[in-house]
Amino acid sequence: MKDSKKPTQLKLISEYNPAKIEPKWQKVWEKKQIYAAKDFGKNTSGISSVKHKKFYSLIEFPFPSGEGLHVGHIRSNVAMDIISRKRRMEGYNVLYPIGWDSFGLPTEQYAIKTGIHPTVVTRQNTKTFERQLRSIGFSFDWKRKVDTSDPLFYRWTQWMFLELFKHGVAYQKETEVWWCEALGTVLANEEVIDGKSERGNFPCVRRPLPQWMVAITRYAERLYNDLDLVSYPDVIKNQIRNWIGKSEGAEIQFEIAGNNKKFVKVFTTRPDTLFGVTYVVLAPENPLVSDLKDQIKNWKEVHDYKEKTKSKSELERTGTDKTKTGLVLEGVFATHPITKEKVPVWIADYVLNSYGTGAVMAVPSHDERDAEFAQKFNLPFRVVVEPITGEEKPNEEFRQSIVVIVINKKTNKVLTIDWGSLGGTIFIGGGIEKGEDVVKCAIREIKEETGYINIKHILTSEKIHHHYFAHSKKVARNIDATGLFFELENEEKTEIKLEENEKEKFTVQWKSYDEAETIVKDPLHSYLFKKFIRNKAYSGVGILTNSGVFSGKKSNSVDSAITKLAGGKMVTTYKLRDWVFSRQRYWGEPFPIVWVGKEAFNAASSIKKSAVAEAMPKEQVKRIRVITDKKLIDFGKTVTEYALPIPPQHLPLILPKVKSFAPKGDGQSALGTAASWVHIYFNIRSGETLGEKDFIAKQKKFEKTAFRNKNKKTAHVSFNPNDWFNAMRETDTMPNWAGSSWYYLRYVDPLNNKTFADKKNLNYWTPVDWYNGGMEHNTLHILYSRFWHKFLYDIGAVPTVEPYTKRTSHGVILAEDGTKMSKSVGNVINPDVMIKNYGADTLRMYQMFMGPFDQTIAWNSDSMSGVRRFIEKVWRMIDRVSVSEKDSEATEVIINQSIKKVSEDIESMGFNTAVSQLMILANHFEKLESISIDAYIVILKLLSPFAPHVTDELWEILKTKKLVKKSNDSIHETMWPDFDPKKITESTVTIVIQINGKHRGEIKMERGSDNETLIKTAFALPTIIEKLQGLVVKKTIAVKDRLVNIVV
RNA sequence: GCCCGGAUGGCGGAACCGGUAUACGCGCACGACUUAAAAUCGUGUCUCGAAAGGGAUGUGGGUUCGAUUCCCACUCCGGGCACCA
């Protein structure tokens, strides 16, 4: 480097130069294959039958974008690399693989723009990615690299789809799907946010299209319940549960009056409120609405509303306006299944057709939404649940009482009484006297407590069962309270006559509604305020009333009984919808499916045993398609087509070459433009496909041969014209989620060409022990993948119920300005630059040190220098390593503490504190004149997962200096250090002396000294004696090995 | 609206099960080395105060000998879901 005139020092090592040592070690590791995972399941020849303990650590495989890696992408990789390296040092056989999730829109859009084939783009991008990832020194087993767009990989994705198809899990459905004009494709619900595409933020509309669907909802229950089997953080489990949206309730039918064949089937989570139903509401799309067309007197309006809903659904998510709209179906009534009362039937777009049964029973008194709707349309309320407020206490005294809310309409204020310490601010309340009715009682109480006499009674509430403690009387009470709502007519008052002891205990105040709402804390009073003033429905539990035989029962105890009486059944419903599995894109896995006419389908179905028959589902899969090819005479007509499988022996079905990768524009992908690929001949027995030319050639050849062989007995025909039919290939491709749903299975046996992975390998390696990835993938990707895995489990293809034993997530790294890194803003931190300036080891460590792993955090290049300094400190330290040095107690303690802390922190992903502990250890060593070889080895080993290059270099130096014996091993092949639990604490401890909890002195004591000794020593301390002068010691608390607190 | 999570120096953050708040790093200041600078090393660095001592972990209350930690209410920030019956 620089010329130095300094006298030559006796330097044992040169300057730290990561640019030199990092590539060197990367090459050594690759050559020696020290990170190669060993398939003991399959290849037992190597190390006999030793059942090696395995560890499968997984990161989400990257999408190789054209922009290359940015530092945020590798946070997860570094973390799992550290864990993987530690596991290896603990003796595990570790599988830490990498691959490319290479199908997807950005590559395709780049291809559309440039005309370069996505395969070529992908090859270029993966090359960059691989170079970048290698330069960071990850301990990936590169030999197991997978690539979802490689036919050798997607062959198995197609195979799995065939299984989904065969088992009836994949089906066709004409669905209103999100159509994105700008992208020319259908998007999954999850890919559309507020009516805009997740990728690109383009507007999307609803449009009906026949689609491949995957019945993930069949697995909803298991996806929900099996979360108990895995170790994901509660945050993630919560999110997943939330997404699946399980709710238990009842399905109850309301017969259409005068039409005993038609029913409104509703789903409710509150069957206990059945007697409170005053109307029912259907989703506008509910088929029953059209069914009842003849009966509906205002059909035109109803039809208009239906249409409006359809167009509204395009905007509904963007609109913040959620005021309820709806329309009564005139002439239609539904019969209450128990009371036989006839209730009106409405349609409203707040009822979703896709959830539950697409219809609700409305209980305005006990449901917020129903209340809002009923208020707007003036529909009746019927109270069937009497609320319970407060908490039940033992030995309650029963009373009947009232609560009165009086408002002044002129001032918009409400009358309150402040009882001060006796019970805070409440409304007017009191006990009912013998023979008194509630209204009279209320009038009396108002007069007694406030003097007002001209008041008008407006409303009376249901009974409320309230539990409270009467502080004035020192008794627990259980009261049946009735709420009364009054308006003040004028301010005229009489004199308040109070008993002596009641005077000046309270003050009467008029408060604004908002003020009253916050200061009235009593649950009974607050409930009545919400009811009378805010018109809130009571949706809690309580005592049933007006509910026939169920009256008087606790509302949450009768769900099944009431459902049974109504002839309904208890059901579980989920928010989760089936997975839209079609994409109208080029750059995805082609479906191994052809579409044929009825004749071909029937012919195929009639064959019992054949390749095609074996891959066929029990239920036929068909679609109705509009002919969109203008060249065809039947343009615009609809045809019914049937799906036939291309059996597994013909896989992979390779993506054909096309001229342009842009979607065809009519809803078909670019594949639709490859006419000779799309329109083919299909053998309904073998599943062979032939293009027109080939087919004709084959036909001719057959005719010739048949003619020649006409007179021979051996006329064996390999070509049966009856088996060949015109067919059209599926032009949709699979979504990006398909490959990523199962890629982790391929890593265990990536080169297998007989099956997606050998059973033995699966048995040995799966499930994944630890999977770390982005928060954004915790719902969708994890859900899809778990579903896919469970399906494979059901067909006996994988040995475990769940794919991932443990899942964790890292926080996003933001740019230095605290915003998201983006190429367009130009705030992207490129790892290549960081490696050049600081070295990969520093980059890795800084990523771990910068803050809590699971937290979003902004990049700060300045802070990186601290990490670099630390590495250099450890580097230079080797000069002071000595074989003769013996560790002091303090050094021993800090070493053992560090082993413990670093080991535990890696496990809990507390990487920032692990690094900080390494720094503490290095700072300690820095103060020593010489460092024992054992101590130095410990810091190198602890550091090695974080900074693998520099530690291997230093390890090699130790070897050349003959300070360590084994000469062939990399430090990464050595054993992880253990700590001695006896040596993690020093023999003396500092005891803090406090007076009234304030730090007033310290004493050094033998560890484990008993409390008595501690106190004695503390009181003997001169400063303490001085401070305690003239004070009386009330109490002394001693905590072993920690403190003495003297209370005065 | 509902469900999670969070708030600590100038900055990123640490603190076990309630027991010395501010570890570690950045930055800053001063010093050593140097003709000088960089690098490196050392010292200091919550705040008021000369000191004794007081005050600080978003705000207000509570429990406790003792609270960043537990409880209640509130404010703000982040994430997820969102007319889910």
Side-chain angles (χ1 to χ4, degrees):
Chain A
M1 304 223 44
K2 283 174 243 163
D3 282 308
S4 175
K5 285 174 196 164
K6 268 189 263 174
T8 356
Q9 284 182 328
L10 183 68
K11 274 228 162 189
L12 289 169
I13 58 163
S14 56
E15 230 172 284
Y16 171 58
N17 182 3
K20 207 172 128 197
I21 63 168
E22 287 175 356
K24 167 187 155 187
W25 286 105
Q26 284 155 19
K27 269 176 220 138
V28 173
W29 300 334
E30 177 65 20
K31 198 177 157 209
K32 288 193 179 170
Q33 283 290 303
I34 67 169
Y35 307 127
K38 295 164 196 76
D39 293 322
F40 288 108
K42 189 185 193 180
N43 188 1
T44 45
S45 59
I47 309 182
S48 69
S49 58
V50 177
K51 217 188 164 204
H52 229 83
K53 49 182 183 176
K54 65 97 184 179
F55 184 78
Y56 186 176
S57 54
L58 187 67
I59 45 155
E60 285 162 359
F61 61 161
F63 168 75
S65 74
E67 283 146 41
L69 280 175
H70 75 57
V71 290
H73 292 141
I74 53 175
R75 199 175 185 192
S76 176
N77 307 24
V78 176
M80 289 316 290
D81 194 51
I82 289 166
I83 289 162
S84 301
R85 286 175 180 279
K86 175 168 178 267
R87 281 288 181 284
R88 286 194 197 92
M89 293 172 83
E90 288 166 340
Y92 286 83
N93 180 25
V94 172
L95 173 56
Y96 185 41
I98 182 76
W100 318 118
D101 188 13
S102 53
F103 273 132
L105 270 179
T107 303
E108 178 176 307
Q109 279 178 325
Y110 182 78
I112 293 168
K113 221 164 47 187
T114 60
I116 304 171
H117 196 278
T119 314
V120 179
V121 179
T122 300
R123 204 182 304 132
Q124 285 165 358
N125 292 349
T126 51
K127 224 177 134 187
T128 312
F129 266 65
E130 179 159 347
R131 177 189 59 73
Q132 288 186 305
L133 289 172
R134 281 185 183 273
S135 73
I136 300 160
F138 293 123
S139 63
F140 295 131
D141 183 351
W142 283 97
K143 290 233 159 82
R144 292 173 184 258
K145 191 169 64 186
V146 303
D147 179 349
T148 54
S149 68
D150 182 344
L152 295 177
F153 180 92
Y154 71 65
R155 170 186 179 178
W156 302 110
T157 313
Q158 291 172 331
W159 176 82
M160 287 169 192
F161 176 80
L162 277 180
E163 291 293 322
L164 290 168
F165 176 73
K166 181 173 147 186
H167 289 87
V169 179
Y171 62 96
Q172 276 275 311
K173 192 181 167 192
E174 170 132 327
T175 345
E176 282 259 320
V177 290
W178 285 107
W179 169 262
C180 180
E181 198 61 48
L183 296 171
T185 189
V186 163
L187 296 171
N189 288 329
E190 299 82 43
E191 292 168 311
V192 180
I193 296 152
D194 290 337
K196 300 260 176 72
S197 63
E198 189 188 22
R199 206 182 272 275
N201 207 33
F202 300 115
C204 303
V205 295
R206 308 282 289 170
R207 176 170 154 176
L209 257 189
Q211 301 286 322
W212 283 106
M213 302 286 293
V214 170
I216 190 170
T217 49
R218 284 194 215 163
Y219 286 76
E221 177 82 24
R222 283 162 69 190
L223 289 167
Y224 192 96
N225 292 339
D226 288 358
L227 284 175
D228 294 340
L229 307 177
V230 292
S231 129
Y232 301 1
D234 286 341
V235 213
I236 299 179
K237 285 193 183 182
N238 254 335
Q239 246 177 59
I240 298 173
R241 290 209 171 101
N242 214 325
W243 187 270
I244 297 173
K246 180 177 179 168
S247 64
E248 295 182 35
E251 264 178 27
I252 295 169
Q253 293 193 331
F254 286 63
E255 198 178 291
I256 297 293
N259 190 343
N260 61 11
K261 286 202 185 80
K262 294 211 165 95
F263 298 90
V264 178
K265 195 203 248 179
V266 302
F267 171 71
T268 177
T269 53
R270 292 294 302 273
D272 56 312
T273 62
L274 185 59
F275 285 85
V277 173
T278 54
Y279 60 101
V280 295
V281 191
L282 301 176
E285 309 94 326
N286 191 317
L288 183 65
V289 180
S290 303
D291 276 5
L292 295 170
K293 189 177 170 182
D294 298 338
Q295 225 176 308
I296 299 170
K297 289 184 183 142
N298 55 341
W299 174 252
K300 202 194 160 310
E301 287 164 70
V302 169
H303 179 76
D304 287 351
Y305 186 81
K306 275 162 66 81
E307 287 300 307
K308 215 165 85 194
T309 308
K310 227 189 248 177
S311 65
K312 197 180 167 188
S313 65
E314 294 169 11
L315 296 165
E316 106 194 300
R317 278 156 203 249
T318 52
T320 46
D321 172 36
K322 277 178 181 168
T323 52
K324 294 201 168 32
T325 61
L327 193 61
V328 68
L329 301 182
E330 284 173 23
V332 180
F333 290 89
T335 309
H336 190 284
I338 298 176
T339 64
K340 306 298 173 194
E341 184 191 357
K342 290 183 177 44
V343 296
V345 179
W346 286 67
I347 55 170
D349 64 5
Y350 81 90
V351 178
L352 307 174
N353 197 41
S354 49
Y355 180 76
T357 57
V360 299
M361 60 179 220
V363 186
S365 293
H366 304 293
D367 182 277
E368 294 280 336
R369 281 161 317 204
D370 296 343
E372 197 195 316
F373 192 80
Q375 249 156 48
K376 183 160 175 190
F377 295 102
N378 232 337
L379 291 155
F381 284 66
R382 184 173 303 148
V383 171
V384 290
V385 181
E386 295 169 351
I388 301 172
T389 55
E391 269 171 52
E392 206 171 324
K393 291 171 191 79
N395 307 321
E396 287 175 329
E397 165 195 294
F398 179 77
R399 273 188 142 210
Q400 296 223 350
S401 61
I402 55 152
V403 172
V404 194
I405 295 183
V406 183
I407 60 158
N408 184 339
K409 266 200 157 174
K410 283 179 216 145
T411 57
N412 268 326
K413 290 202 166 165
V414 57
L415 203 50
T416 64
I417 296 181
D418 183 356
W419 290 91
S421 60
L422 287 174
T425 300
I426 52 173
F427 303 109
I428 300 157
I432 301 174
E433 285 171 10
K434 241 189 180 171
E436 195 178 34
D437 80 19
V438 289
V439 177
K440 270 198 190 131
C441 172
I443 293 168
R444 175 177 57 75
E445 288 285 350
I446 295 168
K447 194 171 153 190
E448 278 178 15
E449 292 186 1
T450 71
Y452 291 111
I453 45 173
N454 291 317
I455 43 179
K456 192 168 84 185
H457 174 228
I458 310 288
L459 287 170
T460 304
S461 80
E462 72 278 19
K463 230 176 238 168
I464 298 124
H465 307 273
H466 183 56
H467 304 273
Y468 77 110
F469 191 81
H471 289 279
S472 52
K473 308 267 161 60
K474 299 221 159 68
V475 62
R477 278 185 184 153
N478 157 23
I479 59 173
D480 275 3
T482 306
L484 294 119
F485 187 40
F486 279 82
E487 264 174 34
L488 188 72
E489 298 198 298
N490 63 44
E491 317 249 333
E492 196 186 323
K493 273 188 186 182
T494 64
E495 206 186 312
I496 307 172
K497 284 178 201 147
L498 290 173
E499 289 166 32
E500 262 324 295
N501 64 341
E502 278 192 316
K503 264 185 194 165
E504 285 169 27
K505 276 187 181 166
F506 64 87
T507 45
V508 176
Q509 292 162 323
W510 286 96
K511 299 269 183 195
S512 74
Y513 294 159
D514 287 348
E515 209 182 333
E517 189 161 27
T518 50
I519 56 171
V520 174
K521 296 260 161 53
D522 178 86
L524 169 64
H525 289 247
S526 151
Y527 165 72
L528 286 163
F529 180 86
K530 279 181 192 135
K531 182 185 174 78
F532 289 139
I533 313 281
R534 304 292 191 210
N535 291 315
K536 279 261 164 70
Y538 178 73
S539 54
V541 295
I543 306 294
L544 289 174
T545 181
N546 298 322
S547 295
V549 293
F550 301 101
S551 298
K553 298 218 161 101
K554 202 115 176 242
S555 66
N556 53 1
S557 66
V558 301
D559 284 357
S560 53
I562 215 163
T563 304
K564 204 176 162 194
L565 186 67
K569 60 173 185 203
M570 299 300 287
V571 294
T572 306
T573 312
Y574 301 91
K575 283 198 262 184
L576 187 73
R577 307 288 149 80
D578 274 351
W579 181 5
V580 179
F581 202 67
S582 283
R583 297 291 182 279
Q584 287 65 48
R585 310 300 311 180
Y586 173 74
W587 194 229
E589 298 89 344
F591 285 91
I593 293 289
V594 298
W595 292 99
V596 297
K598 184 143 200 169
E599 195 196 344
F601 180 78
N602 286 344
S605 307
S606 67
I607 302 167
K608 288 251 165 60
K609 257 198 155 176
S610 75
V612 171
E614 268 165 39
M616 270 170 73
K618 280 194 202 105
E619 303 256 334
Q620 63 181 29
V621 174
K622 60 180 180 183
R623 73 175 182 191
I624 297 165
R625 186 172 60 89
V626 182
I627 307 283
T628 54
D629 195 332
K630 287 180 184 158
K631 289 178 208 154
L632 300 177
I633 33 166
D634 43 5
F635 168 71
K637 282 188 186 158
T638 56
V639 282
T640 306
E641 298 171 317
Y642 297 81
L644 287 180
I646 296 174
Q649 39 276 61
H650 298 297
L651 299 181
L653 170 58
I654 294 174
L655 260 178
K657 294 256 189 276
V658 292
K659 285 197 190 98
S660 159
F661 310 105
K664 213 178 150 207
D666 59 358
Q668 277 190 67
S669 74
L671 291 177
T673 62
S676 62
W677 181 80
V678 175
H679 299 284
I680 46 142
Y681 289 85
F682 183 69
N683 187 309
I684 55 147
R685 200 176 290 272
S686 68
E688 271 175 278
T689 55
L690 284 175
E692 198 167 6
K693 265 189 212 158
D694 293 340
F695 178 75
I696 291 168
K698 193 156 187 172
Q699 203 173 26
K700 276 193 181 145
K701 199 175 163 194
F702 160 74
E703 278 163 6
K704 265 190 209 160
T705 334
F707 177 77
R708 214 186 300 142
N709 293 347
K710 207 158 81 183
N711 302 316
K712 288 186 185 171
K713 277 183 194 164
T714 52
H716 177 74
V717 265
S718 66
F719 180 82
N720 180 353
N722 297 332
D723 286 348
W724 290 89
F725 288 87
N726 278 313
M728 182 188 169
R729 285 193 202 268
E730 175 60 80
T731 58
D732 285 351
T733 55
M734 299 184 205
N736 217 197
W737 306 107
S740 61
S741 288
W742 74 276
Y743 73 108
Y744 59 94
L745 295 171
R746 188 64 178 167
Y747 285 136
V748 310
D749 196 8
L751 301 174
N752 198 322
N753 60 7
K754 299 214 167 55
T755 165
F756 68 91
D758 190 275
K759 270 275 159 60
K760 282 184 202 144
N761 289 34
L762 287 169
N763 282 332
Y764 178 65
W765 286 115
T766 66
V768 170
D769 294 284
W770 196 333
Y771 188 18
N772 186 78
M775 307 270 186
E776 70 277 16
H777 290 136
N778 285 342
T779 40
L780 291 184
H781 163 60
I782 293 293
L783 212 52
Y784 289 148
S785 185
R786 289 178 60 226
F787 151 73
W788 198 280
H789 191 92
K790 283 179 186 301
F791 170 75
L792 291 176
Y793 174 78
D794 288 351
I795 63 166
V798 295
T800 63
V801 202
E802 283 283 336
Y804 316 118
T805 304
K806 177 174 181 166
R807 165 79 184 187
T808 51
S809 280
H810 57 276
V812 176
I813 297 183
L814 301 173
E816 297 199 75
D817 56 6
T819 61
K820 230 179 129 189
M821 281 192 202
S822 109
K823 205 189 171 190
S824 54
V825 182
N827 55 6
V828 173
I829 305 283
N830 183 335
D832 293 345
V833 176
M834 292 297 132
I835 290 171
K836 194 169 158 253
N837 294 348
Y838 298 93
D841 284 335
T842 302
L843 172 66
R844 294 168 57 108
M845 271 195 104
Y846 171 63
Q847 286 227 334
M848 294 298 102
F849 183 60
M850 62 193 297
F853 183 65
D854 58 358
Q855 200 172 293
T856 303
I857 197 160
W859 189 265
N860 182 356
S861 296
D862 285 345
S863 295
M864 281 185 81
S865 53
V867 177
R868 169 73 188 244
R869 271 178 215 149
F870 159 77
I871 290 177
E872 285 180 14
K873 200 181 276 180
V874 176
W875 176 265
R876 271 183 272 111
M877 214 176 265
I878 198 169
D879 285 347
R880 286 180 290 124
V881 170
S882 138
V883 238
S884 50
E885 179 67 20
K886 222 173 161 268
D887 293 331
S888 66
E889 196 209 346
T891 301
E892 261 186 353
V893 166
I894 198 165
I895 287 171
N896 280 285
Q897 277 173 349
S898 299
I899 298 172
K900 182 170 191 283
K901 177 93 178 131
V902 173
S903 305
E904 288 171 358
D905 282 355
I906 290 175
E907 293 310 313
S908 60
M909 301 193 118
F911 300 111
N912 54 335
T913 47
V915 173
S916 122
Q917 184 63 38
L918 288 167
M919 288 171 168
I920 292 169
L921 183 61
N923 290 347
H924 177 85
F925 287 169
E926 194 70 357
K927 290 190 195 112
L928 305 177
E929 256 175 46
S930 71
I931 304 154
S932 79
I933 178 67
D934 290 341
Y936 193 65
I937 288 173
V938 167
I939 194 169
L940 285 191
K941 285 187 172 184
L942 293 180
L943 182 58
S944 69
F946 294 85
H949 308 91
V950 69
T951 46
D952 229 358
E953 179 73 18
L954 290 168
W955 183 251
E956 192 184 52
I957 294 167
L958 291 184
K959 283 192 292 188
T960 47
K961 285 166 85 177
K962 300 226 163 37
L963 290 170
V964 286
K965 277 177 199 159
K966 274 196 185 171
S967 56
N968 289 322
D969 296 331
S970 153
I971 190 163
H972 307 298
E973 293 172 295
T974 63
M975 293 306 285
W976 188 253
D978 285 327
F979 66 90
D980 183 345
K982 284 180 213 129
K983 289 183 179 165
I984 51 169
T985 47
E986 289 191 65
S987 51
T988 56
V989 284
T990 307
I991 304 292
V992 171
I993 315 297
Q994 295 179 332
I995 296 173
N996 284 347
K998 297 244 149 71
H999 187 218
R1000 286 292 179 269
E1002 285 171 6
I1003 43 172
K1004 291 265 182 202
M1005 294 290 287
E1006 189 87 355
R1007 175 168 292 279
S1009 304
D1010 59 40
N1011 292 349
E1012 218 171 288
T1013 320
L1014 293 184
I1015 292 170
K1016 230 165 89 188
T1017 320
F1019 276 102
L1021 220 61
T1023 53
I1024 297 297
I1025 293 170
E1026 194 186 315
K1027 293 210 165 81
L1028 286 176
Q1029 235 154 47
L1031 299 166
V1032 185
V1033 175
K1034 284 186 196 145
K1035 198 172 169 185
T1036 308
I1037 293 115
V1039 182
K1040 206 172 178 183
D1041 295 340
R1042 288 210 191 264
L1043 58 69
V1044 175
N1045 189 12
I1046 302 160
V1047 186
V1048 291

